[in-house]
Amino acid sequence: MANNKQLIIAGPCAVEKKEQFDKIVQDIYHDTDVIRAGVWKGRTSPIDYPGIGEKGLPWLQEVQKKYKIPVAIEIGTTKHLELALQYELSVFWIGARTTVNPFSVQELAEAIKGVDLELWVKNPIVADLKLWSGAINRFKKNGLRNIKAIHRGFHTEHETIYRNNPRWELLEKFKTYHPDIPIICDPSHIAGNYRYIYQIAQKAIEKNLNGLMIEVHNNPEKALSDKNQQLNTKNFNKLLKKLKYPT
Ligand code: PEP
Ligand code: MN
């Protein structure tokens, strides 16, 4: 592990250009265990940036070979999975908008059967632990052993400073359902703003969570998705140094 304490996952919300991705990786690969890289983005609006798609997969494959570091992406359909496997990717996550849909989860779980890969399941957008747990159980039922959960906060209609409500207390309950599943905190999607990443990441450490997934971009102000919450590579390196772990 990059810091011997927690699994660190970092990279852009979305891969936009080869040069952009290479630049980010070059600056952060020393400090992270896994690179995150969205190529298919399940955006709320059809006019928002949908991701580079299949075109970006060889760039990810190249980075894996060059830096000997795994690159993880979100998959939402069995077609995504099929394509990603062709480019030797083997770490995937299911997004918050996919976890809510048992049909999609079931299809993916069946497609994954017998394939050697690691899968992370993000919590559903709504604060429904049974839905989160049910998605995990669908994958378990299809023989997948290498599963982690990602805590990315929950949609709320109440006024908050964060984009998504962390509801830390729900994680305690989640742990009783799945004591065997490591939990990764995604402070970027909880925060919605790069200024709050540190405080949320620190809280995740205090809560004994097993890792952090952080969005990092070479030029966040110009990012094509989630620009308010992405750290630039310098601030990412600073953040890691600032985090305090219990001794
Ligand atoms: C993402 O990781 O970029 C993403 C879209 O996250 P979520 O599914 O948590 O909204
Ligand atoms: Mn994002």
Side-chain angles (χ1 to χ4, degrees):
M1 279 193 236
N3 67 3
N4 282 321
K5 312 267 195 229
Q6 276 189 315
L7 185 76
I8 303 293
I9 303 150
C13 175
V15 173
E16 297 161 6
K17 290 195 172 115
K18 186 175 189 315
E19 304 71 57
Q20 168 244 14
F21 185 56
D22 285 344
K23 219 164 181 297
I24 298 168
V25 175
Q26 216 176 64
D27 284 354
I28 67 170
Y29 80 95
H30 270 303
D31 288 328
T32 186
D33 300 293
V34 182
I35 301 285
R36 63 151 284 153
V39 296
W40 292 289
K41 302 301 301 177
R43 305 304 298 281
T44 302
S45 161
I47 60 168
D48 288 339
Y49 180 64
I52 192 80
E54 187 182 355
K55 188 180 163 196
L57 294 175
W59 310 340
L60 275 49
Q61 187 181 29
E62 197 183 304
V63 156
Q64 287 199 143
K65 287 218 168 96
K66 185 169 170 191
Y67 296 97
K68 312 253 178 304
I69 192 167
V71 179
I73 61 165
E74 175 177 346
I75 49 168
T77 67
T78 53
K79 184 76 192 162
H80 294 164
L81 173 69
E82 197 184 300
L83 286 168
L85 290 174
Q86 286 171 21
Y87 291 89
E88 300 178 299
L89 300 187
S90 60
V91 187
F92 304 103
W93 77 86
I94 303 295
R97 291 158 190 78
T98 302
T99 309
V100 291
N101 185 339
F103 292 121
S104 302
V105 173
Q106 184 63 25
E107 261 186 32
L108 284 164
E110 284 170 24
I112 277 168
K113 206 176 191 144
V115 185
D116 183 23
L117 53 78
E118 170 158 346
L119 188 81
W120 307 331
V121 181
K122 282 200 168 196
N123 69 253
I125 289 179
V126 289
D128 182 343
L129 283 190
K130 292 214 169 110
L131 207 45
W132 194 6
S133 179
I136 287 170
N137 285 335
R138 282 181 199 274
F139 290 109
K140 277 188 171 171
K141 210 164 168 242
N142 279 276
L144 194 67
R145 289 287 160 262
N146 222 345
I147 304 175
K148 292 183 172 58
I150 301 184
H151 168 230
R152 48 79 78 205
F154 303 91
H155 176 74
T156 174
E157 284 170 19
H158 300 292
E159 223 15 75
T160 56
I161 56 166
Y162 297 156
R163 177 179 180 188
N164 288 294
N165 189 344
R167 300 286 308 269
W168 299 102
E169 78 286 1
L170 292 182
L171 295 185
E172 297 310 316
K173 199 158 175 204
F174 177 87
K175 283 183 196 172
T176 67
Y177 293 171
H178 296 283
D180 53 324
I181 303 260
I183 306 177
I184 310 287
C185 180
D186 172 349
S188 307
H189 288 88
I190 293 174
N193 186 310
Y194 73 93
R195 290 186 182 85
Y196 306 136
I197 308 287
Y198 170 74
Q199 54 183 255
I200 298 166
Q202 191 59 55
K203 181 93 174 175
I205 292 171
E206 281 154 31
K207 296 276 173 194
N208 279 320
L209 299 196
N210 309 92
L212 296 171
M213 183 197 241
I214 298 174
E215 287 190 334
V216 183
H217 194 280
N218 58 316
N219 188 0
E221 303 89 77
K222 294 268 167 63
L224 300 181
S225 60
D226 287 349
K227 62 187 197 162
N228 296 331
Q229 71 195 34
Q230 301 202 62
L231 290 174
N232 64 35
T233 55
K234 261 202 191 115
N235 284 337
F236 168 67
N237 297 118
K238 268 196 209 155
L239 171 103
L240 292 184
K241 290 202 181 84
K242 207 170 142 197
L243 290 173
K244 287 187 200 67
Y245 288 88
T247 45

